[in-house]
Amino acid sequence: MSASTLTVTDNRTGSTYEMPIEDGTVRAMDFRKIKTGADDFGLMLYDPAFMNTASCRSSITYIDGDRGILEYRGYPIEQLAESCSFLEVAYLILFGELPTADQLDRWVYEITHHTMLHETTKKFMEGFRHDAHPMTMLISSVTALSTVYPEATEVHDPTSRFLQIKRLIAKMPSIAAMSYRHSLGFPYVYPDNDLSYTENFMNMLWKMVEPKYAANPVLARALEVLFILHADHEQNCSTSTMRAVGSALANPYLCISSAASALSGPLHGGANEEVIKMLDEIDTAANIPAYIASVKGGKRKLMGFGHRVYKNFDPRATLIKKIAEQVFEVTGRNPKLDIALELERIALQDEYFISRKLYPNVDFYSGLIYQAIGFKPEMFTVLFAIPRTVGWLSQWQEMIVDPAQKIARPRQVYTGARNRRFIPMAERKPVEVKA
Ligand code: ACO
């Protein structure tokens, strides 16, 4: 018997099965051989919310949740945040290697020259109500973009794939800025090819009548680092959505809008907006103990706390705290910071949070920085979606070329009724039903 195997005894039959262990996993399909008889379907694994199921092999992002380690393609996030531009990290995530100076120049040129949107997208955007949520406008507009690029359905053609990847990375900030300007009733601003990725985004957001927009370098760098920190995070809810929709060979624009829809939820990327609402509600430090008590009483969650993978600390939250200091030197201190710091201090000493390993996640401080830079809370998740587009597309590309992947299709444990006799309308009795 090999040492790298798992032996399972089925006590229903007494049969013993040996399964190979590879990379710390056993194959779920090996359990299907475990049957009580010829008519038995075989054992399945029940794993709601995929708490312990690896759905793919990936070489993009490594996370060690217990040690608080995050690496893109093997490079620690701290070093990338310190030394790289966002597009340099995007290149690394997509292609697996850091670019040379020439490769980076070409890559930046290509992304920069895809930032323009088709005029029909502008018209489409004009149709939204003035108070439409920017994230919903972004999601709808990315879906609409697929009508402009019908060749995007050629997902098995590497040339077409690469073109759509460049377009999506380039156009997300343009759509995001348009949705922001739309909500303010301001005219849209066209991209400026002289500016960096984040500076151009700031230009499209905030340029008014000045001939050339000049971004504050500290704020532009802070945004760049925030983009780097949000670029990928392996198989989270939105990335798994990207892979699941992509596995049906839907075009990448539709995959991205599906992934962004998942991101918009308050338990995922929408959490940073919820953190600001929570800090507003708490209002003063004196109200923190009562708020914590209501969290412990199960009435609400402490938004920006807790993570499925990080059970010690979120390395992104540590880096974000440093960026906050740099930003507040320029913008002045966000008054909510003191409440956030006090909330964190009290929570980290409380048995409820300690025993459940609940620490501040990336969203706890990012909203405070975004607000200080000048973003409305409704824009926060949009700011998450722009850099995460790089991660989504890299994971999609990896999935498409992986011969082990097929259309995503989980199984279920059926708990409903069987073989009921159909009841004609005249014989039916009212039964109370719940939604
Ligand atoms: N506040 C209070 N209690 C919490 C919190 C929280 N933020 N997070 C988890 N818990 C509690 C749960 O109620 C549960 O308690 P119990 O054992 O008494 O039932 C325990 O901690 C374990 O939590 P789970 O829900 O099992 O953890 P899970 O891994 O499923 O959830 C999640 C992770 C969704 C992030 C959760 O911590 C949460 O809802 N946090 C608040 C929302 C948030 O900040 N989301 C952003 C995540 S980062 C990102 O997506 C970019």
Side-chain angles (χ1 to χ4, degrees):
M1 194 186 301
S2 157
S4 305
T5 58
L6 174 74
T7 302
V8 177
T9 303
D10 184 348
N11 293 326
R12 299 170 302 175
T13 59
S15 302
T16 294
Y17 302 82
E18 196 182 337
M19 302 171 190
I21 299 176
E22 206 182 337
D23 296 328
T25 61
V26 287
R27 289 194 172 250
M29 283 303 283
D30 283 346
F31 284 79
R32 284 274 280 282
K33 295 174 202 148
I34 304 178
K35 299 180 179 203
T36 50
D39 292 343
D40 188 353
F41 181 74
L43 270 191
M44 291 193 294
L45 306 178
Y46 176 56
D47 187 13
F50 308 117
M51 298 286 286
N52 195 35
T53 295
S55 62
C56 61
R57 290 175 169 276
S58 180
S59 61
I60 300 171
T61 292
Y62 174 79
I63 299 177
D64 182 333
D66 291 330
R67 293 196 183 86
I69 295 172
L70 169 61
E71 294 170 0
Y72 298 154
R73 300 288 189 180
Y75 292 100
I77 189 69
E78 292 80 5
Q79 290 174 26
L80 298 172
E82 177 75 32
S83 313
C84 293
S85 69
F86 170 68
L87 284 184
E88 198 177 345
V89 172
Y91 184 102
L92 170 71
I93 291 176
L94 271 162
F95 305 111
E97 298 297 337
L98 286 165
T100 63
D102 283 350
Q103 286 170 324
L104 182 60
D105 281 351
R106 202 164 65 239
W107 172 239
V108 170
Y109 179 91
E110 291 198 74
I111 296 298
T112 307
H113 287 80
H114 279 293
T115 49
M116 288 290 280
L117 291 167
H118 196 279
E119 284 294 294
T120 53
T121 309
K122 207 169 94 180
K123 293 211 177 72
F124 181 84
M125 186 76 69
E126 279 160 7
F128 288 116
R129 275 176 57 132
H130 68 282
D131 56 353
H133 195 289
M135 188 62 180
T136 321
M137 284 194 265
L138 177 87
I139 291 164
S140 312
S141 304
V142 176
T143 304
L145 213 55
S146 67
T147 63
V148 182
Y149 305 113
E151 79 282 5
T153 50
E154 303 296 328
V155 296
H156 287 307
D157 173 3
T159 312
S160 169
R161 265 201 320 264
F162 187 40
L163 181 58
Q164 314 317 323
I165 286 173
K166 285 185 288 192
R167 281 177 174 152
L168 274 158
I169 294 171
K171 291 180 202 305
M172 284 298 266
S174 310
I175 300 175
M178 236 186 218
S179 66
Y180 178 73
R181 305 275 298 197
H182 180 81
S183 64
L184 296 176
F186 288 163
Y188 306 131
V189 174
Y190 286 97
D192 181 340
N193 287 359
D194 294 340
L195 301 176
S196 75
Y197 191 79
T198 44
E199 285 170 340
N200 176 46
F201 179 46
M202 293 165 89
N203 158 67
M204 291 187 290
L205 288 167
W206 292 315
K207 183 172 184 293
M208 296 307 279
V209 291
E210 66 272 38
K212 186 103 182 150
Y213 180 82
N216 178 298
V218 175
L219 302 186
R221 180 63 200 163
L223 197 56
E224 185 116 22
V225 176
L226 284 162
F227 277 10
I228 292 171
L229 301 184
H230 285 89
D232 192 52
H233 213 233
E234 52 117 311
Q235 309 312 315
N236 54 77
C237 179
S238 55
T239 303
S240 302
T241 304
M242 181 83 192
R243 280 180 173 263
V245 179
S247 76
L249 307 185
N251 82 54
Y253 298 88
L254 302 180
C255 298
I256 290 281
S257 64
S258 308
S261 304
L263 187 74
S264 73
L267 294 189
H268 193 6
N272 50 14
E273 191 178 333
E274 297 300 316
V275 170
I276 296 294
K277 285 188 203 156
M278 175 182 78
L279 295 176
D280 279 339
E281 191 186 331
I282 294 174
D283 193 32
T284 65
N287 294 331
I288 293 176
Y291 198 90
I292 297 263
S294 73
V295 170
K296 287 162 66 176
K299 293 202 179 73
R300 56 182 105 210
K301 276 189 168 170
L302 193 54
M303 298 313 285
F305 259 69
H307 200 277
R308 174 61 61 78
V309 180
Y310 295 120
K311 298 297 175 195
N312 217 332
F313 67 94
D314 180 341
R316 301 167 301 172
T318 312
L319 290 164
I320 279 180
K321 249 176 131 173
K322 282 193 203 144
I323 304 168
E325 284 162 23
Q326 294 157 12
V327 167
F328 295 153
E329 266 182 38
V330 175
T331 62
R333 204 173 159 86
N334 187 329
K336 292 190 193 77
L337 179 67
D338 293 329
I339 299 174
L341 286 168
E342 184 60 6
L343 192 59
E344 179 184 348
R345 192 187 67 77
I346 293 178
L348 293 184
Q349 290 176 352
D350 193 300
E351 181 51 27
Y352 176 95
F353 297 91
I354 296 168
S355 62
R356 289 170 178 77
K357 299 189 173 204
L358 300 172
Y359 296 85
N361 59 49
V362 68
D363 287 321
F364 192 64
Y365 286 103
S366 64
L368 289 173
I369 304 177
Y370 290 141
Q371 200 171 41
I373 294 179
F375 291 103
K376 295 192 298 178
E378 297 79 39
M379 276 300 282
F380 294 175
T381 317
V382 170
L383 294 168
F384 196 152
I386 295 170
R388 185 54 61 85
T389 297
V390 167
W392 289 331
L393 289 166
S394 308
Q395 301 272 350
W396 169 73
Q397 157 83 15
E398 189 177 63
M399 183 272 304
I400 291 279
V401 300
D402 181 351
Q405 290 295 336
K406 288 167 177 270
I407 186 166
R409 202 328 185 163
R411 294 277 174 177
Q412 65 167 8
V413 179
Y414 179 69
T415 59
R418 294 283 323 279
N419 292 324
R420 299 169 88 184
R421 187 187 69 83
F422 178 77
I423 309 170
M425 186 70 80
E427 293 172 26
R428 288 177 206 169
K429 306 263 180 313
V431 180
E432 203 167 316
V433 288
K434 288 192 201 124

